[in-house]
C-alpha cells in the first residue's frame, strides 16, 4: 500500500491506498506493524509511516494502552530515537513527537521528571552513536515537546497541570542550552537547533527572568549571519509572550541590547540587506508594542524608552519605496496605535506630561508617513509589477488609517500643519516641488477629512482656495485631488459659496477615462450633499454628464453612479425644470431602446438593453422631489409633498411603459432582462412611495401577464414591494390584491409540477406570503385563496436543501401561526395539518437541515407553543413515538426529555427554546460534546 501511495502514477490507486492506510494507522494491529516498518533496512518513507502510526496511537488512543506497558513503550521509543539519531531526519522527528506525546500523557504521576530523564538518557555515553548526533536528537526531542503540548488533545484541567510541570522542568533544559550556546567549539548547526529549542519553550509562559540569560545569548547570536534569523525568532517569541509584562525589571534590562542593534541596522540599510533590517525592526517593535504601557509607567526611565521609540521611528521611515526596496516600515504601524492608546489612557496629569514628550514625536511621525506614502518617480513606477502596485495601494490605505487615528492625539493642529506645508509648497516659486510631494500632503488631508468632521476647521477654506492652484500633471495627483474634494463635500454643503472653486475641476475630470472612479464618485457626493445649492450649476452638470455618457467614456458601474448623481441633482429643481432635463437626458436612450426592441434577441443587444434599463433604475433610485423631514423624535422619515400634479418619475414611466412592455414581450424568457425591468419599478416604488400610486393598475396588469407566462422570482419580489407599500390604501389595493391571488395560484400550479428546479421562486414566494400576513392578513380570508395548499407548499419548502429558501419558509410560518385565532381559515388549516408541519420541523432539527438554520426552526416551535399549545402536546407525543425519528442516534429518554422541555414553563422564553433546539440537534447528529460544538 505504501509503495502504491508513493510510486503509483495512477491517482485513483493512490487515493485507495491512502484511504486503506489511514484505516490501518488507527487499527489495533498498528501497535505491531509500526515497529516492523521501523527496521533499519526499510526506506525512509516506510519508516516514516511506522513512526507516524505510533504517534497517532499514542496521542489519540492513549486509553487503549495498559498502564503496565508504559515503561516498555518508553524504552522502545528511546532505543529507536538513539538508533535514528544518525539516520533519517524526518523519521527521527516523528519518533521524537511520539515520545513527546507519551511524556505529556504520563506526566506528572506516571513519569515525574520526564524532561530531566530525557536529558540524562541522551547525555549517557553510548559508544555506538557519536556525541554530536546524540546532542541533535536530544535537542529535537526537547524542541517538539512544547510544540506537541500546544497541539495536544489533553482535556482542559490536564493542560493546566502539564503546563506548570513543564514550566518547572525548564530548569533541566535552559542550563544545557546556555552551555551549548556559550561553548566556543559548538558548531553553527547545533547553536541553530538550541535557539529553535529555546523559541519553542518560551511559549509555555515561562517567567521572563528565567529566560534572561538565553535572551542575552540570543542577542549575541544576532552578530552571526548564519544564526541571525533563528535568533530573531527566539528573541521576538520570548519578548512577545503575554506574561512577560509582569517582569518590568527584566524588560528594562532588554532596552540597551535592543538599542545596541542600531549600528547593525544602519549598516544593513546602507548595504540594502532587507532581511537584517527586517529582523532587527521586528525585535524593536516586539518590545515596544507588547510592553509600551509597562515601560511608560517607569517614569524615571523615560529617556531609554523614548530612545526605543525613536529607533522604531527610524524603522517606520526606513529609506526606499515599500514594497520594492523595503518591507519593514509596515511592521511598525500598529506600534503607533498602541503607544497612543496607552498615553491617552493615563489620568489627566500624567497624560499631560507624556503629551509634552510625545506630541513632537507624533508630528514627526506624520512627516515620516507622508514621505513614505509618496509615489516613486513616474519612470520607476512604470517598472513596478501590478502586484507591487496593489501592495503599495494597500500600504497607503494603512498609512491613511494611521493618520486618521493620530488626529485624535494631535487634533486641529495637525490640519493646520498640513495646510501650511501645502501652502508653502504651492507658493514657492524658487524651488518648484514634485507632484509626489503635493499629492502626499493632499492625501494626508483627505485621510482625515474622509472620517473626521472638519466643519469646524479654519483651514479648509484656505485649502479649497489652494486646490485650483495645483498644476495637475498626472493621474495619481488628479485622483487624490478628486477624492479630497469628495471628502470635503459635507463642508461644501455648509459653505456653498465655495462650490464654484472646485466644481469646474470635477466636471473637467469627468471627461478623462483614467479618472473615472474618482471623478464620478466625487460628483455623486457633491450632488448628494449639496443638491439644494446646485440649481445654478445644474444645466452645466447635466450637459457635461450627457456628453460623457454618450461618448461612453466610463465603465458600466460608473455610468450607474453618474445617473444616481443626476438623480440627486434633479431632485432639488422645479418640476418643469426636472421634466425638461429628464427629457433631454433620457430621450437618446429611449430612441436606442425603441430600435433594440424591434431587433431579434441576441447576446449583444441583450447587454445594451440591460445597460439602458440599469441607467433608468439608477436615475429613479435617487430622484426624489419630496423633502424628507428628518424627524429624530420617532425616527420616522416623513414626506412633505411639494408640488401639485404627477411626479416627474411617474410621467416618464408612463411615457415609456408601452416600450418596456414591448421589450418584455420579446425577452420574457430571459431572467436578467426581466430582473432589470422589475428593478426600474422596484427602485421607483421605494423612492416615490405613495406618489407611485397612478402607476399601480397598469404595473399590476403587466406583472400578472409576465408571471402567468413565465414565472420569475423578480416579479414576485416586486409584488411583495407593492403589498408592503400600498397595503393600507383602500383606493389602490384592489389591483394589488388581484395580482397577489394570481401569483399565488400560478405558484401553486408550479408546486404541483415540481418546484425543485426553482428554489429562487419558492424563496421569493415564501417572503411574499410572510409580507402579506404582516401587512394585510385579511388577504387570507379571500374565498379563492387555497390556504391549505399554501400551507402544504410551506411544509414542502422547509425540506429544500437551499438554506435561504428554508429560512424564508420558516419566516412564513412564524407569521402564519400567530394568525390562528383571528383568521378562521388559517386556524382551521393549522389545526388540521399542524402535525405535518411539526414533523417537518423535527426532521430538520433531527439532521435533515443545516445547523445554521436551527434558530429559525426554533422560532416555529416557539410560535406553535404559543398559539396551538394543546394541539402541540398531542402532536409531539405522536411524532416522537416513531422508531428512529427524528434520528437513529437518539434514545427514547432523550426524546422524552426534549418533549418535556419544549412543553415546560420555559416555553415562553424564546432564548431558552433556541438553546433546547441547539442541544437536541447536536444529540441527533452525534456531535454533542465534541470539538465541533465548541463555537456553536
Amino acid at each position: 500500500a505504501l509503495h502504491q501511495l508513493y510510486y503509483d502514477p495512477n491517482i485513483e490507486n493512490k487515493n485507495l491506498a491512502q484511504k486503506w492506510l489511514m484505516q490501518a494507522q488507527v487499527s489495533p494491529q498498528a501497535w505491531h506493524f509500526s515497529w516492523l516498518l521501523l527496521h533499519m533496512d526499510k526506506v525512509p518513507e516506510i519508516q516514516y509511516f511506522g513512526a507516524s502510526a505510533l504517534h497517532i496511537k499514542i496521542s489519540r488512543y492513549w486509553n487503549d494502552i495498559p498502564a503496565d506497558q508504559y515503561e516498555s513503550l518508553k524504552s522502545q521509543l528511546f532505543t529507536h530515537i538513539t538508533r535514528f539519531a544518525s539516520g533519517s531526519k524526518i523519521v527521527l522527528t516523528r519518533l521524537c513527537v511520539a515520545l513527546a506525546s507519551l511524556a505529556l500523557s504520563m506526566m506528572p504521576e506516571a513519569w515525574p521528571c520526564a524532561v530531566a530523564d530525557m536529558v540524562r538518557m541522551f547525555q549517557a555515553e553510548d559508544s555506538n552513536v557519536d556525541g554530536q548526533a546524540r546532542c541533535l536528537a536530544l535537542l529535537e526531542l526537547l524542541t517538539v515537546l512544547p510544540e506537541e503540548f500546544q497541539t495536544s488533545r489533553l482535556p482542559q484541567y490536564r493542560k493546566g497541570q502539564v503546563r506548570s510541570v513543564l514550566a518547572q522542568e525548564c530548569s533541566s533544559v535552559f542550563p544545557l542550552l546556555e552551555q551549548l550556546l556559550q561553548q566556543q567549539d559548538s558548531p553553527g548547526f547545533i547553536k541553530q537547533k538550541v535557539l529553535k529549542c529555546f523559541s519553542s519553550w518560551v511559549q509555555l509562559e515561562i517567567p521572563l527572568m528565567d529566560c534572561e540569560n538565553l535572551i542575552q545569548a540570543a542577542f549575541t547570536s544576532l552578530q552571526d549571519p548564519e544564526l541571525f534569523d533563528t535568533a530573531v525568532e527566539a528573541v521576538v517569541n520570548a519578548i512577545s509572550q503575554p506574561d512577560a509584562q509582569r517582569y518590568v525589571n527584566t524588560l528594562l534590562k532588554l532596552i540597551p541590547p535592543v538599542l545596541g542593534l542600531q549600528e547593525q541596522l544602519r549598516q544593513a540599510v546602507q548595504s540594502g540587506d532587507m532581511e537584517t533590517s527586517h529582523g532587527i525592526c521586528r525585535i524593536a517593535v516586539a518590545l515596544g508594542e507588547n510592553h509600551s504601557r509597562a515601560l511608560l509607567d517607569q517614569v524615571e526611565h523615560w529617556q531609554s524608552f523614548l530612545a526605543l521609540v525613536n529607533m522604531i521611528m527610524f524603522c517606520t521611515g526606513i529609506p526606499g519605496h515599500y514594497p520594492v526596496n523595503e518591507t519593514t516600515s509596515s511592521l511598525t504601524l500598529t506600534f503607533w496605535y498602541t503607544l497612543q492608546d496607552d498615553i491617552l489612557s493615563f489620568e489627566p496629569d500624567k497624560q499631560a506630561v507624556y503629551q509634552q514628550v510625545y506630541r513632537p514625536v507624533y508630528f514627526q511621525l506624520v512627516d515620516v508617513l507622508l514621505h513614505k506614502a509618496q509615489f516613486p518617480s513616474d519612470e520607476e513606477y512604470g517598472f513596478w509589477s501590478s502586484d507591487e502596485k496593489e501592495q503599495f495601494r494597500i500600504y497607503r490605505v494603512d498609512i491613511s488609517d494611521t493618520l486618521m487615528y493620530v488626529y485624535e492625539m494631535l487634533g486641529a493642529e495637525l490640519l493646520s500643519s498640513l495646510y501650511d506645508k501645502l501652502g508653502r509648497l504651492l507658493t514657492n516659486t524658487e524651488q518648484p516641488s514634485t507632484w509626489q510631494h503635493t499629492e502626499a500632503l493632499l492625501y494626508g488631508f483627505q485621510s482625515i477629512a474622509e472620517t473626521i468632521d472638519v466643519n469646524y476647521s479654519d483651514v479648509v477654506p484656505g485649502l479649497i482656495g489652494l486646490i485650483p492652484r495645483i498644476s495637475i500633471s498626472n493621474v495619481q495627483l488628479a485622483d487624490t485631488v478628486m477624492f479630497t474634494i469628495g471628502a470635503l463635500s459635507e463642508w461644501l454643503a455648509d459653505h456653498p459659496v465655495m462650490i464654484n472653486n472646485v466644481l469646474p475641476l470635477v466636471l473637467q475630470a469627468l471627461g478623462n477615462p483614467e479618472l473615472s472612479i474618482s471623478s464620478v464618485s466625487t460628483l455623486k457626493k457633491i450632488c448628494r450633499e449639496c443638491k439644494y445649492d446646485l440649481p445654478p450649476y445644474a444645466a452645466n452638470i447635466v450637459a457635461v454628464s450627457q456628453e460623457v455618457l454618450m461618448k461612453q467614456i466610463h465603465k458600466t458601474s460608473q455610468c450607474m453612479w453618474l445617473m444616481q448623481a443626476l438623480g440627486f441633482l434633479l431632485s432639488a429643481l422645479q418640476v418643469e425644470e426636472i421634466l425638461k432635463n429628464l427629457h433631454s437626458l433620457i430621450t437618446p436612450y429611449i430612441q436606442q431602446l425603441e430600435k433594440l426592441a424591434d431587433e431579434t434577441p441576441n447576446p449583444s443587444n441583450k447587454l445594451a438593453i440591460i445597460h439602458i434599463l440599469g441607467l433608468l433604475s439608477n436615475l429613479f433610485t435617487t430622484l426624489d422631489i419630496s423633502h424628507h423631514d428628518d424627524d429624530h423624535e420617532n425616527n420616522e422619515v416623513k414626506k412633505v409633498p411639494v408640488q401639485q400634479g404627477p411626479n416627474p418619475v411617474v410621467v416618464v414611466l408612463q411615457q415609456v411603459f408601452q416600450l418596456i412592455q414591448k421589450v418584455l414581450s420579446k425577452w420574457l424568457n430571459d431572467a436578467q432582462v426581466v430582473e432589470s425591468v422589475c428593478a426600474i419599478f422596484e427602485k421607483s416604488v421605494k423612492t416615490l412611495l405613495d406618489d407611485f400610486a397612478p402607476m399601480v393598475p397598469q404595473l399590476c396588469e403587466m406583472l400578472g401577464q409576465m408571471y402567468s407566462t413565465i414565472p420569475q422570482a423578480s416579479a414576485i419580489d416586486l409584488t411583495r414591494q407593492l403589498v408592503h407599500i400600498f397595503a393600507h390604501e383602500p383606493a389602490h389595493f384592489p389591483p394589488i390584491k388581484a395580482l397577489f391571488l394570481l401569483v399565488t395560484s400560478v405558484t401553486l400550479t408550479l408546486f404541483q409540477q415540481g418546484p425543485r428546479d426553482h428554489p429562487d421562486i419558492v424563496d421569493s414566494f415564501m417572503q411574499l406570503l410572510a409580507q402579506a400576513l404582516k401587512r394585510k392578513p385579511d388577504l387570507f380570508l379571500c374565498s379563492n385563496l387555497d390556504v391549505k395548499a399554501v400551507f402544504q407548499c410551506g411544509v414542502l419548502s422547509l425540506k429544500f436543501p437551499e438554506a435561504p429558501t428554508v429560512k424564508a419558509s420558516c419566516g412564513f410560518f412564524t407569521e402564519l401561526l400567530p394568525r390562528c385565532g383571528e383568521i378562521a381559515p388559517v386556524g382551521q388549516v393549522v389545526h388540521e395539518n399542524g402535525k405535518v408541519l411539526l414533523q417537518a420541523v423535527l426532521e430538520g432539527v433531527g439532521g435533515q437541515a443545516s445547523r445554521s438554520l436551527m434558530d429559525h426552526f426554533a422560532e416555529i416551535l416557539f410560535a406553535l407553543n404559543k398559539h396551538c399549545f394543546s394541539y402541540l402536546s398531542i402532536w409531539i407525543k405522536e411524532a416522537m413515538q416513531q422508531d428512529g425519528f427524528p434520528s437513529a442516534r437518539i434514545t427514547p429518554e432523550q426524546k422524552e426529555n426534549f418533549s418535556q422541555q419544549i412543553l415546560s414553563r420555559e416555553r415562553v422564553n424564546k432564548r431558552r427554546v433556541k438553546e433546547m433546539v441547539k442541544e437536541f440537534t447536536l444529540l441527533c447528529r452525534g456531535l454533542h460534546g465534541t470539538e465541533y460544538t465548541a463555537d456553536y
Side-chain angles (χ1 to χ4, degrees), residues 730-744:
H732 308 304
F733 201 67
I736 296 176
K737 175 180 173 179
L739 174 63
F740 172 76
L741 293 170
L742 175 73
V743 166
T744 304

Side-chain angles (χ1 to χ4, degrees), residues 292-562:
S292 66
R293 177 73 205 221
L295 294 168
L296 279 168
D297 268 329
Q298 306 305 305
V299 183
E300 64 281 14
H301 295 278
W302 69 273
Q303 281 163 308
S304 69
F305 183 60
L306 182 59
L308 177 68
V309 172
N310 285 325
M311 180 177 175
I312 295 174
M313 180 78 79
F314 175 80
C315 296
T316 304
I318 209 158
H321 285 288
Y322 181 94
V324 177
N325 324 98
E326 62 91 8
T327 52
T328 299
S329 55
S330 60
L331 300 178
T332 63
L333 297 179
T334 30
F335 163 74
W336 298 109
Y337 285 74
T338 310
L339 179 62
Q340 177 176 315
D341 284 345
D342 289 336
I343 291 171
L344 297 180
S345 68
F346 287 125
E347 68 279 3
D349 301 348
K350 197 168 180 183
Q351 194 177 313
V353 176
Y354 278 108
Q355 285 262 18
Q356 246 179 332
V357 177
Y358 284 100
R359 270 179 78 83
V361 174
Y362 272 86
F363 273 113
Q364 186 194 346
L365 173 69
V366 171
D367 290 345
V368 167
L369 289 175
L370 290 177
H371 182 70
K372 292 297 291 181
Q374 283 187 27
F375 279 88
S377 69
D378 295 334
E379 188 186 1
E380 200 182 327
Y381 194 61
F383 285 116
W384 285 19
S385 68
S386 57
D387 190 34
E388 286 166 339
K389 288 177 179 173
E390 176 58 9
Q391 281 184 349
F392 181 58
R393 186 192 66 77
I394 294 167
Y395 174 68
R396 278 174 46 106
V397 172
D398 292 341
I399 286 180
S400 170
D401 292 344
T402 312
L403 289 170
M404 184 185 81
Y405 205 76
V406 168
Y407 181 84
E408 194 186 343
M409 176 105 151
L410 302 180
E413 210 183 318
L414 170 55
L415 289 178
S416 309
S417 112
L418 289 175
Y419 171 64
D420 292 343
K421 289 192 177 105
L422 190 63
R424 282 201 298 277
L425 207 62
L426 294 175
T427 51
N428 183 351
T429 46
E430 315 285 293
Q431 291 176 300
S433 62
T434 62
W435 71 261
Q436 285 90 341
H437 202 159
T438 311
E439 190 279 334
L441 283 167
L442 266 184
Y443 183 68
F445 228 107
Q446 173 212 324
S447 304
I448 294 159
E450 252 174 350
T451 41
I452 282 150
D453 182 3
V454 292
N455 279 3
Y456 308 104
S457 164
D458 51 359
V459 301
V460 177
L463 175 69
I464 296 268
L466 281 177
I467 284 178
R469 299 186 59 154
I470 297 172
S471 70
I472 296 180
S473 50
N474 83 329
V475 173
Q476 285 93 355
L477 176 58
D479 260 338
T480 303
V481 169
M482 284 302 115
F483 285 128
T484 306
I485 296 171
L488 295 170
S489 54
E490 285 181 39
W491 184 90
L492 287 168
D494 291 341
H495 306 82
V497 289
M498 304 297 274
I499 290 174
N500 202 27
N501 271 31
V502 290
L503 187 60
L505 290 174
V506 179
L507 294 178
Q508 191 190 343
L510 274 184
N512 182 345
E514 290 187 294
L515 304 178
S516 180
I517 291 177
S518 61
S519 61
V520 174
S521 69
T522 296
L523 182 66
K524 183 178 159 186
K525 280 180 178 172
I526 292 175
C527 290
R528 186 180 64 213
E529 299 301 334
C530 313
K531 63 180 174 190
Y532 298 116
D533 303 298
L534 290 179
Y537 313 105
N540 194 9
I541 296 175
V542 172
V544 173
S545 302
Q546 256 184 297
E547 190 187 345
V548 300
L549 283 166
M550 282 298 131
K551 285 185 179 166
Q552 298 184 336
I553 284 176
H554 301 289
K555 291 194 174 138
T556 303
S557 51
Q558 276 70 50
C559 294
M560 302 305 158
W561 291 359
L562 192 48

Side-chain angles (χ1 to χ4, degrees), residues 666-817:
K666 285 206 174 168
W667 289 89
L668 254 185
N669 270 321
D670 191 292
Q672 284 170 301
V673 175
V674 171
E675 209 170 298
S676 302
V677 168
C678 290
I680 291 185
F681 294 105
E682 195 176 348
K683 299 274 169 64
S684 311
V685 173
K686 274 183 179 166
T687 313
L688 301 179
L689 303 179
D690 302 343
D691 282 354
F692 188 82
M695 293 291 304
V696 167
Q698 57 200 116
L699 180 59
C700 287
E701 191 184 342
M702 182 179 92
L703 276 174
Q705 288 166 353
M706 269 168 60
Y707 196 74
S708 314
T709 318
I710 295 180
Q712 308 252 14
S714 47
I716 307 185
D717 295 333
L718 182 49
T719 307
R720 185 179 85 231
Q721 200 70 39
L722 292 170
V723 169
H724 175 66
I725 288 168
F726 293 102
H728 301 303
E729 302 277 339
H732 308 304
F733 201 67
I736 296 176
K737 175 180 173 179
L739 174 63
F740 172 76
L741 293 170
L742 175 73
V743 166
T744 304
S745 89
V746 170
T747 313
L748 291 178
T749 313
L750 188 80
F751 262 90
Q752 285 164 353
Q753 294 159 356
R756 270 302 302 114
D757 300 335
H758 309 285
D760 55 334
I761 292 180
V762 175
D763 182 343
S764 295
F765 180 55
M766 289 297 137
Q767 290 186 51
L768 169 65
L769 295 172
Q771 184 69 269
L773 285 160
K774 211 182 272 178
R775 303 282 294 168
K776 195 81 174 159
D778 49 3
L779 279 171
F780 279 70
L781 288 167
C782 301
S783 54
N784 47 355
L785 179 75
D786 187 342
V787 179
K788 182 176 178 182
V790 167
F791 184 91
Q792 286 166 333
C793 290
V795 172
L796 263 180
S797 313
L798 282 177
K799 301 179 182 182
F800 268 50
E802 292 81 5
T805 307
V806 179
K807 186 176 163 185
S809 320
C810 291
F812 159 60
F813 284 114
T814 317
E815 290 295 336
L816 181 85
L817 294 168

Side-chain angles (χ1 to χ4, degrees), residues 100 103-104 107 115 118 141-152 154 158-174 177 196-211 233-234 236-244 246-247:
L104 294 173
M107 65 175 56
V115 180
M118 292 173 185
L141 178 57
L142 293 175
T143 305
V144 300
L145 184 63
E147 291 167 359
E148 179 66 9
F149 169 75
Q150 305 289 6
T151 56
S152 68
L154 295 171
R158 281 275 296 143
K159 249 192 157 153
Q161 192 184 19
V162 174
R163 183 193 296 277
S164 59
V165 172
L166 283 173
Q168 286 160 9
E169 291 240 30
C170 79
S171 57
S172 307
V173 180
F174 284 10
L177 300 184
K196 278 192 176 146
C197 184
F198 173 51
S199 254
S200 177
W201 274 80
V202 289
Q203 293 177 43
L204 293 171
E205 291 174 25
I206 289 164
L208 193 64
M209 52 196 199
D210 295 347
C211 307
E233 284 305 325
V236 169
N237 285 341
I239 295 175
S240 306
Q241 47 166 326
D243 194 43
R246 291 180 22 218
Y247 304 95

Side-chain angles (χ1 to χ4, degrees), residues 48-87:
Y48 177 83
F49 182 80
S52 282
L54 278 175
H55 171 239
I56 285 174
K57 294 302 282 184
I58 293 169
S59 61
R60 295 194 200 162
Y61 300 94
W62 177 249
N63 295 333
D64 297 352
I65 307 173
D68 58 4
Q69 285 183 25
Y70 291 170
E71 283 307 316
S72 71
L73 186 55
K74 183 165 74 179
S75 68
Q76 268 181 296
L77 279 168
F78 267 123
T79 310
H80 276 80
I81 288 173
T82 316
R83 203 172 286 162
F84 276 92
S86 356

